[in-house]
Amino acid sequence: MSSAPTHWVLTLVCVDQPGIVHAVSGAIVAAHGNITESQQFASADTGRFFMRLQVEASAAREEFEAALAPVVARFGLEWRLDVVGRPTKTLILASKASHVVGDLLYRTRSGHLSLDVPLVLANHPDLAELVGFYGVPFESMPVTDAASKAAFEQRVLDEVEKHGVELVVLARYMQILSPELCEALSGRAINIHHSFLPGFKGANPYRQAHARGVKLIGATAHFVTSDLDEGPIIEQNVVRVDHTATPAQLMATGQDEESRTLRQAVKWFSEHRVLLDGARTIIFR
Amino acid sequence: MSSAPTHWVLTLVCVDQPGIVHAVSGAIVAAHGNITESQQFASADTGRFFMRLQVEASAAREEFEAALAPVVARFGLEWRLDVVGRPTKTLILASKASHVVGDLLYRTRSGHLSLDVPLVLANHPDLAELVGFYGVPFESMPVTDAASKAAFEQRVLDEVEKHGVELVVLARYMQILSPELCEALSGRAINIHHSFLPGFKGANPYRQAHARGVKLIGATAHFVTSDLDEGPIIEQNVVRVDHTATPAQLMATGQDEESRTLRQAVKWFSEHRVLLDGARTIIFR
Amino acid sequence: MSSAPTHWVLTLVCVDQPGIVHAVSGAIVAAHGNITESQQFASADTGRFFMRLQVEASAAREEFEAALAPVVARFGLEWRLDVVGRPTKTLILASKASHVVGDLLYRTRSGHLSLDVPLVLANHPDLAELVGFYGVPFESMPVTDAASKAAFEQRVLDEVEKHGVELVVLARYMQILSPELCEALSGRAINIHHSFLPGFKGANPYRQAHARGVKLIGATAHFVTSDLDEGPIIEQNVVRVDHTATPAQLMATGQDEESRTLRQAVKWFSEHRVLLDGARTIIFR
Amino acid sequence: MSSAPTHWVLTLVCVDQPGIVHAVSGAIVAAHGNITESQQFASADTGRFFMRLQVEASAAREEFEAALAPVVARFGLEWRLDVVGRPTKTLILASKASHVVGDLLYRTRSGHLSLDVPLVLANHPDLAELVGFYGVPFESMPVTDAASKAAFEQRVLDEVEKHGVELVVLARYMQILSPELCEALSGRAINIHHSFLPGFKGANPYRQAHARGVKLIGATAHFVTSDLDEGPIIEQNVVRVDHTATPAQLMATGQDEESRTLRQAVKWFSEHRVLLDGARTIIFR
């Protein structure tokens, strides 16, 4: 009755057509909601309309949903209603590299990221101590052949199911996921990799980047698809380097960018700021 | 009837209250408009609501205004309807320094800025050749005492009146405007000045900045108020400098930032992306 | 004899005059050293010459010093010879705020910073758990009056003496040091504070910055002097903010910049990249 | 005798070995020179040593060269002695795009770049008015087949010869140079092209970048080699873009970066700050 208002985040997607904003804002008026943040985008590429709203309302979830129901029906809305700040259930996949895992756990502990991490699952045992340091469960399962890979991936699916995982982060996991797993996690698995201008194929890209004398080193966070390193881009960063940097220093610089970029992508995802528009992302920063 | 649609930009401000977006979007539906860009902000400080829309519509201005009329009446909207890309009538005030004036005219000529500059008015004749080079009328009137200052300011007001000037840019004009002129140009005069961390008072700030060994040099573009250099901030930039820079090099660096920052502020203003919220600006980038 | 070469870092300062580089490089040739990094700067302000070299040499410290001795005598060199990467003995002073302390300890643990922290000394007990989490000794002593402040400062001096502390970091310690302690720690105590364009005096600067609608929020790391917040600047950073940020969000943004900026200043100091030239710093990045 | 000192810039390259700095600084002492700027780099990749010095000296060129002669002989130095600020003879090749040509000429006129441009040579007549506006000679020669391409390239070589051209800038010239011309201009021709993360091959890269939803758009300036767009990188920049940008807006953004990046590369080249180390550049900023 007299409960304090809840801060809701509402995201919605539909075919672009006149009247959507009018109808959605009407539903919010009906739910006695106060819009505190609103962003929208109409995609000329796919003809779809995207909207993200933050709304303060003392309406219960059912009331809010009831007010939205006719709009959902009329415009064929895909929508999601959540409470601002609720921790996102996040499964982290890792390998040997500690920098991105350490950064995610440090940022979660300090409150910068609102994540609930039930497990860090790795294909090597190296990170057990680091992860334990942050009080997060850790397990490792070797991935050495098709059978162990299948077992690992089944375990991922089991954990996703068991904990109601909303986001899977490949924190330098370094293994190619099977097309089946990519499909199962579509739109809720994020990967990070280094990025260069120009791009370099093959092994040891930092050595190649050094050989060409690149002046910028970067990283890209993207959704996982079966096309390796080619999923929809969520965030990218670069930093300046110069001729004095050794390949090892370039790698250290690149790893910092990986941590920073993945952390940003995860933060936006957990705040429902990342919407998919075909091969592109809409980021309501 | 079958005319091509016009791309309109609509900005509006009113007291924040439920239902505004619903009502405004209803008016656009009524005018058969298609929203291509929309941004809004509710100010917790002043309790006011701000919105900027770009709308494609074949409706004539009168039709659009008729559709908006009831919303304007109901919510007490301050509003402005313009055509996207229409050049902004801009009077430039200058002194001896060429960098910002040159940059504004170069960017206007190359199409980056959509300005219509009927006159550059200066208190020194030095820039006659530069301004003439860009085919823009130039005049200078010395400002040496109270009488000549009053004459200069009267001339500003006359030119504003004569050409329907929408924006007055103080491009390193370096004179303090009278409170009366500040008032007359309130919300439509933009100034640029250098900025440092920390700030330095008094003469020759670049020498002071050098003496303190600052690592960042910047510039601030702001609306002109009678409080010198204290008007609402529109844009700020900084760049990194180091211990090797002489005071003269710091000044050259600072002037580049001044040009870049003023240009950006003018561009946003001409696109109706700058709205005033008391002592703050809302920038719908 | 056949020992692996050591990587030395040599810094030197003297009155600028012809022949210094020639003489110093001659000493390195004599010590069979190989210069891997070299930077120099002649200050037009103070007439002093600064140089930082990294040198690979199998020479023992005594041999190196013997080779340098005639150059030191001839040019009146102030100099320092250290081994690259040796951890810097660092005393951290803290209060209640956790962000900079947490960042310094996290970066030390991950190997980004080469510090040896014998103690975090605070005037409040709040950070005991955080510091303990990183396995670093923590103690708190209340500072509530002149006597307790004197006791705290005496403890600082005792710890500096006891551990051979090379660097004292004020990690949001928030207390003004006495002129005597400033003097005793001159050139080896670093402070961090927020920075704005323009600067704001007095309490709650983030609220003031919000009221003015600043577009950049930053931080400055500087050496401690008895002139509060006015010591030689080591590093500055800013990030862009916009009108949507609340004062609390501005503060969170500012704290990130404080962590990043202090961490950078400490890293450069520990690598002997920061040299003092009167009120300015020379940073050999 | 009593002439004012000249500000010299000296660059030198040789096989890395002990004693170079000692010997070069000895020659400067002998020429009564005062080092005002000095940078050096030893390349672990090629085993070569690079140095750039600025020296104030009243010595005439012959005296300076005489002092250097024994060092040149002993270390097999490749060297170049020039006067700081002397305009660089620069031939600009262009096509239809105006943005980089306009920027180079604007920056030259405003004194930011120290260039002497005897001719802009284009394969289309479109830029005649723009170039004439800046008072620079312009000629166009169509390139439509092998014969006209050969004629154009011969003209380039003739102009280089005739004016003593030191730098050829491909300002969006858009034609692939013959291997012979690349060879003839090796180390003194600079090209600019757009850059993306990830890279895109084929036509209309901005449309591809839009389709992938890239978040960064950039440009790379590099030396021309017969490997198209693969020469040693001189400078790179990127700027942030978001999902709202159309392909046309991405292109406008990219063109700004091209102008900025090419201008910077040309400036460094003209100041003798760019040295070649195999496939990499050493940039003494």
Side-chain angles (χ1 to χ4, degrees):
Chain A
M1 256 343 64
S2 62
S3 61
T6 302
H7 207 168
W8 298 97
V9 54
L10 171 66
T11 55
L12 54 89
V13 184
C14 64
V15 172
D16 192 23
Q17 54 198 292
I20 306 166
V21 174
H22 187 56
V24 171
S25 54
I28 291 167
V29 170
H32 303 288
N34 182 31
I35 300 172
T36 61
E37 198 176 318
S38 171
Q39 288 163 295
Q40 63 191 69
F41 178 69
S43 169
D45 299 273
T46 61
R48 297 210 296 169
F49 176 83
F50 300 83
M51 196 167 194
R52 179 188 186 277
L53 295 129
Q54 290 192 192
V55 178
E56 277 186 343
S58 43
R61 178 181 285 270
E62 303 74 39
E63 296 174 77
F64 211 139
E65 294 182 1
L68 276 171
V71 188
V72 169
R74 175 173 160 208
F75 292 97
L77 293 186
E78 303 163 41
W79 61 284
R80 180 159 185 178
L81 184 67
D82 202 350
V83 174
V84 170
R86 185 184 61 78
T88 301
K89 279 276 180 194
T90 304
L91 175 65
I92 296 178
L93 305 186
S95 185
K96 294 177 174 179
S98 63
H99 58 290
V100 278
V101 175
D103 189 82
L104 288 173
L105 298 180
Y106 170 67
R107 298 284 167 171
T108 299
R109 187 180 198 280
S110 70
H112 179 84
L113 291 174
S114 180
L115 304 182
D116 175 0
V117 182
L119 181 66
V120 174
L121 184 61
N123 64 336
H124 288 282
D126 308 41
L127 302 181
E129 189 204 341
L130 171 73
V131 175
F133 182 71
Y134 287 100
V136 170
F138 175 86
E139 290 189 39
S140 69
M141 295 173 63
V143 173
T144 55
D145 54 15
S148 57
K149 177 170 178 171
F152 189 97
E153 295 204 342
Q154 187 55 52
R155 175 70 185 275
V156 170
L157 288 171
D158 292 348
E159 296 290 333
V160 165
E161 175 75 15
K162 175 177 166 192
H163 299 288
V165 162
E166 301 163 280
L167 173 63
V168 177
V169 178
L170 279 66
R172 299 301 285 160
Y173 170 56
M174 305 300 284
Q175 296 283 324
I176 298 172
L177 302 190
S178 70
E180 294 71 30
L181 189 58
C182 290
E183 180 61 29
L185 300 178
S186 176
R188 50 180 178 152
I190 296 178
N191 196 7
I192 183 73
H193 64 83
H194 42 63
S195 297
F196 304 95
L197 293 164
F200 298 106
K201 302 290 183 191
N204 211 331
Y206 287 106
R207 185 157 292 284
Q208 293 184 64
H210 177 80
R212 269 299 300 285
V214 302
K215 307 305 183 192
L216 298 173
I217 290 280
T220 295
H222 61 93
F223 280 115
V224 174
T225 62
S226 53
D227 227 347
L228 181 66
D229 291 350
E230 292 285 329
I233 296 166
I234 301 171
E235 174 64 337
Q236 303 186 293
N237 283 298
V238 295
V239 286
R240 193 163 288 279
V241 293
D242 68 21
H243 61 270
T244 64
T246 62
Q249 288 168 331
L250 292 183
M251 181 177 291
T253 299
Q255 290 183 342
D256 260 10
E257 289 309 287
E258 290 173 6
S259 298
R260 179 161 82 103
T261 303
L262 181 58
R263 170 206 318 160
Q264 182 64 75
V266 166
K267 184 173 176 67
W268 283 336
F269 182 93
S270 74
E271 296 174 354
H272 304 291
R273 296 183 184 279
V274 183
L275 300 177
L276 264 169
D277 181 33
R280 311 175 71 218
T281 60
I282 312 304
I283 310 287
F284 288 135
R285 305 180 68 157
Chain B
M1 223 71 335
S2 62
S3 60
T6 302
H7 207 170
W8 299 97
V9 54
L10 172 66
T11 54
L12 52 91
V13 184
C14 63
V15 172
D16 193 21
Q17 55 198 294
I20 306 166
V21 174
H22 187 56
V24 171
S25 54
I28 291 168
V29 170
H32 304 286
N34 182 31
I35 300 172
T36 60
E37 197 175 320
S38 171
Q39 288 162 295
Q40 64 192 70
F41 178 69
S43 169
D45 299 274
T46 61
R48 297 209 297 167
F49 176 82
F50 300 83
M51 195 168 195
R52 180 188 185 277
L53 295 130
Q54 289 192 192
V55 178
E56 279 184 342
S58 43
R61 179 182 284 270
E62 302 74 39
E63 297 174 74
F64 212 140
E65 293 183 0
L68 277 171
V71 188
V72 168
R74 177 174 160 208
F75 291 97
L77 293 186
E78 303 162 41
W79 61 284
R80 179 157 186 180
L81 185 66
D82 202 351
V83 174
V84 169
R86 183 184 62 78
T88 301
K89 279 276 179 193
T90 304
L91 175 65
I92 296 178
L93 305 187
S95 183
K96 293 176 173 178
S98 64
H99 58 290
V100 278
V101 175
D103 189 82
L104 288 173
L105 297 181
Y106 170 67
R107 297 285 166 172
T108 300
R109 188 181 196 280
S110 71
H112 179 84
L113 291 175
S114 180
L115 303 182
D116 175 0
V117 182
L119 180 66
V120 175
L121 184 61
N123 64 334
H124 288 282
D126 308 40
L127 302 181
E129 190 205 339
L130 171 74
V131 175
F133 182 71
Y134 286 100
V136 170
F138 175 86
E139 290 190 37
S140 68
M141 294 173 63
V143 173
T144 54
D145 53 18
S148 58
K149 178 170 176 171
F152 189 98
E153 295 203 344
Q154 186 55 52
R155 176 68 185 275
V156 170
L157 289 171
D158 292 348
E159 294 291 331
V160 165
E161 174 75 16
K162 175 177 164 191
H163 298 289
V165 163
E166 300 164 279
L167 173 63
V168 176
V169 179
L170 278 66
R172 299 302 285 159
Y173 170 57
M174 306 299 285
Q175 296 283 323
I176 299 172
L177 301 191
S178 69
E180 293 72 29
L181 189 58
C182 289
E183 179 61 30
L185 301 178
S186 176
R188 51 179 176 151
I190 296 178
N191 196 7
I192 182 74
H193 64 82
H194 41 65
S195 297
F196 304 94
L197 293 163
F200 299 106
K201 302 290 184 192
N204 211 331
Y206 286 106
R207 186 158 291 283
Q208 292 184 65
H210 176 81
R212 269 299 301 286
V214 301
K215 307 304 185 192
L216 297 174
I217 289 279
T220 296
H222 61 92
F223 281 115
V224 174
T225 61
S226 51
D227 228 346
L228 181 65
D229 290 349
E230 292 286 330
I233 296 167
I234 302 170
E235 174 64 338
Q236 304 185 293
N237 283 298
V238 294
V239 286
R240 192 162 289 279
V241 293
D242 68 21
H243 61 270
T244 64
T246 62
Q249 288 168 331
L250 292 183
M251 180 177 291
T253 299
Q255 290 182 343
D256 261 9
E257 288 309 286
E258 289 173 6
S259 298
R260 179 160 83 103
T261 303
L262 181 58
R263 173 206 318 160
Q264 182 64 76
V266 166
K267 185 174 176 65
W268 283 336
F269 183 93
S270 74
E271 296 173 354
H272 303 292
R273 295 183 183 279
V274 182
L275 299 178
L276 264 169
D277 181 32
R280 310 176 71 221
T281 61
I282 312 304
I283 310 288
F284 288 135
R285 302 178 70 156
Chain C
M1 236 36 15
S2 62
S3 61
T6 301
H7 206 169
W8 298 96
V9 52
L10 172 66
T11 54
L12 53 90
V13 184
C14 63
V15 173
D16 191 23
Q17 55 198 291
I20 307 167
V21 174
H22 187 58
V24 171
S25 55
I28 291 167
V29 171
H32 303 288
N34 182 31
I35 300 172
T36 62
E37 198 177 318
S38 171
Q39 289 163 295
Q40 64 192 70
F41 178 68
S43 169
D45 299 273
T46 61
R48 297 210 295 169
F49 176 83
F50 300 82
M51 196 167 194
R52 180 188 186 276
L53 294 129
Q54 289 192 193
V55 178
E56 279 185 342
S58 43
R61 178 182 284 270
E62 302 74 39
E63 296 173 76
F64 212 139
E65 294 182 1
L68 277 170
V71 187
V72 168
R74 175 175 160 208
F75 292 97
L77 293 187
E78 303 162 41
W79 62 284
R80 181 157 183 180
L81 184 68
D82 202 350
V83 173
V84 169
R86 184 184 61 78
T88 301
K89 279 277 180 194
T90 304
L91 174 66
I92 296 179
L93 305 187
S95 183
K96 294 176 173 179
S98 64
H99 59 289
V100 279
V101 175
D103 190 83
L104 289 173
L105 297 181
Y106 170 67
R107 299 282 167 173
T108 299
R109 188 183 197 278
S110 71
H112 178 85
L113 291 175
S114 180
L115 303 182
D116 176 357
V117 182
L119 180 66
V120 174
L121 183 62
N123 63 334
H124 289 281
D126 308 41
L127 301 182
E129 189 204 340
L130 171 73
V131 174
F133 182 71
Y134 287 101
V136 170
F138 175 86
E139 290 189 38
S140 68
M141 297 173 63
V143 173
T144 55
D145 53 16
S148 58
K149 178 169 176 170
F152 189 98
E153 295 204 343
Q154 185 57 50
R155 176 68 185 276
V156 170
L157 289 171
D158 291 349
E159 294 291 331
V160 166
E161 174 76 14
K162 174 177 163 193
H163 299 289
V165 163
E166 301 162 280
L167 172 64
V168 176
V169 179
L170 279 65
R172 300 300 287 159
Y173 170 57
M174 305 299 285
Q175 297 282 325
I176 299 172
L177 302 191
S178 69
E180 294 71 29
L181 189 58
C182 290
E183 179 61 28
L185 301 178
S186 174
R188 51 181 177 150
I190 296 178
N191 196 8
I192 183 73
H193 64 81
H194 42 64
S195 297
F196 304 94
L197 293 163
F200 299 106
K201 301 292 184 190
N204 212 331
Y206 286 106
R207 187 158 290 283
Q208 293 184 63
H210 177 80
R212 270 298 301 284
V214 302
K215 307 305 183 192
L216 298 174
I217 288 281
T220 297
H222 60 93
F223 280 115
V224 175
T225 61
S226 51
D227 228 346
L228 181 67
D229 290 349
E230 292 284 330
I233 296 167
I234 300 171
E235 175 63 337
Q236 304 185 294
N237 282 298
V238 295
V239 287
R240 191 162 291 277
V241 294
D242 67 22
H243 61 270
T244 65
T246 62
Q249 288 169 331
L250 292 184
M251 181 178 290
T253 300
Q255 290 182 343
D256 261 10
E257 289 309 288
E258 289 173 5
S259 298
R260 177 161 83 104
T261 303
L262 181 58
R263 170 206 318 159
Q264 182 64 75
V266 166
K267 185 173 175 65
W268 283 336
F269 183 92
S270 74
E271 295 173 354
H272 302 293
R273 295 184 183 278
V274 182
L275 300 178
L276 265 169
D277 181 33
R280 311 176 71 219
T281 61
I282 311 304
I283 310 288
F284 288 136
R285 303 180 70 156
Chain D
M1 217 85 320
S2 62
S3 61
T6 301
H7 207 168
W8 298 97
V9 53
L10 171 66
T11 56
L12 52 91
V13 184
C14 63
V15 173
D16 192 23
Q17 56 198 291
I20 306 166
V21 174
H22 187 57
V24 171
S25 55
I28 291 168
V29 170
H32 303 288
N34 182 32
I35 300 173
T36 61
E37 199 176 319
S38 170
Q39 288 162 296
Q40 64 192 68
F41 179 67
S43 169
D45 299 273
T46 61
R48 297 210 295 169
F49 176 83
F50 300 82
M51 195 167 194
R52 180 188 185 276
L53 295 130
Q54 289 191 192
V55 178
E56 279 185 343
S58 43
R61 179 181 284 269
E62 302 74 39
E63 296 173 76
F64 211 140
E65 293 183 1
L68 278 170
V71 187
V72 169
R74 177 174 159 207
F75 292 97
L77 294 187
E78 303 162 41
W79 61 285
R80 180 157 183 180
L81 184 67
D82 203 351
V83 173
V84 169
R86 183 183 62 77
T88 301
K89 279 276 179 193
T90 304
L91 175 65
I92 296 178
L93 304 187
S95 185
K96 293 177 173 179
S98 64
H99 58 291
V100 278
V101 175
D103 189 81
L104 288 173
L105 297 181
Y106 170 67
R107 297 284 167 172
T108 299
R109 188 180 196 280
S110 71
H112 179 84
L113 291 175
S114 181
L115 303 182
D116 174 359
V117 183
L119 180 67
V120 174
L121 184 62
N123 64 334
H124 288 282
D126 308 40
L127 301 181
E129 189 204 340
L130 171 73
V131 175
F133 182 71
Y134 287 101
V136 170
F138 175 85
E139 289 190 36
S140 68
M141 294 174 64
V143 173
T144 55
D145 55 16
S148 57
K149 177 170 177 172
F152 189 98
E153 295 204 343
Q154 186 56 50
R155 176 69 185 275
V156 170
L157 288 172
D158 290 349
E159 294 291 332
V160 165
E161 175 75 15
K162 176 178 164 191
H163 298 290
V165 163
E166 300 164 279
L167 172 64
V168 177
V169 178
L170 278 66
R172 299 301 285 160
Y173 170 58
M174 306 299 285
Q175 297 283 322
I176 299 172
L177 302 191
S178 69
E180 294 72 29
L181 189 57
C182 290
E183 179 62 28
L185 300 179
S186 176
R188 51 180 177 151
I190 296 179
N191 196 7
I192 183 74
H193 64 81
H194 42 65
S195 296
F196 304 95
L197 293 164
F200 298 106
K201 301 290 184 192
N204 211 331
Y206 286 106
R207 185 158 291 283
Q208 293 185 63
H210 176 81
R212 271 300 301 285
V214 301
K215 307 304 183 192
L216 297 174
I217 289 280
T220 297
H222 61 92
F223 281 115
V224 175
T225 61
S226 52
D227 230 345
L228 181 65
D229 291 348
E230 293 284 331
I233 296 167
I234 301 170
E235 174 63 338
Q236 303 185 295
N237 283 298
V238 295
V239 286
R240 192 163 290 277
V241 294
D242 67 23
H243 60 270
T244 64
T246 62
Q249 288 169 330
L250 292 183
M251 181 178 292
T253 299
Q255 290 183 343
D256 260 11
E257 289 308 288
E258 290 172 5
S259 298
R260 178 161 82 106
T261 304
L262 181 57
R263 171 207 318 160
Q264 182 64 75
V266 166
K267 184 173 176 67
W268 283 335
F269 183 94
S270 75
E271 295 174 352
H272 303 292
R273 295 184 183 278
V274 183
L275 300 177
L276 266 169
D277 181 33
R280 311 175 72 221
T281 60
I282 311 305
I283 310 288
F284 288 135
R285 304 180 69 160

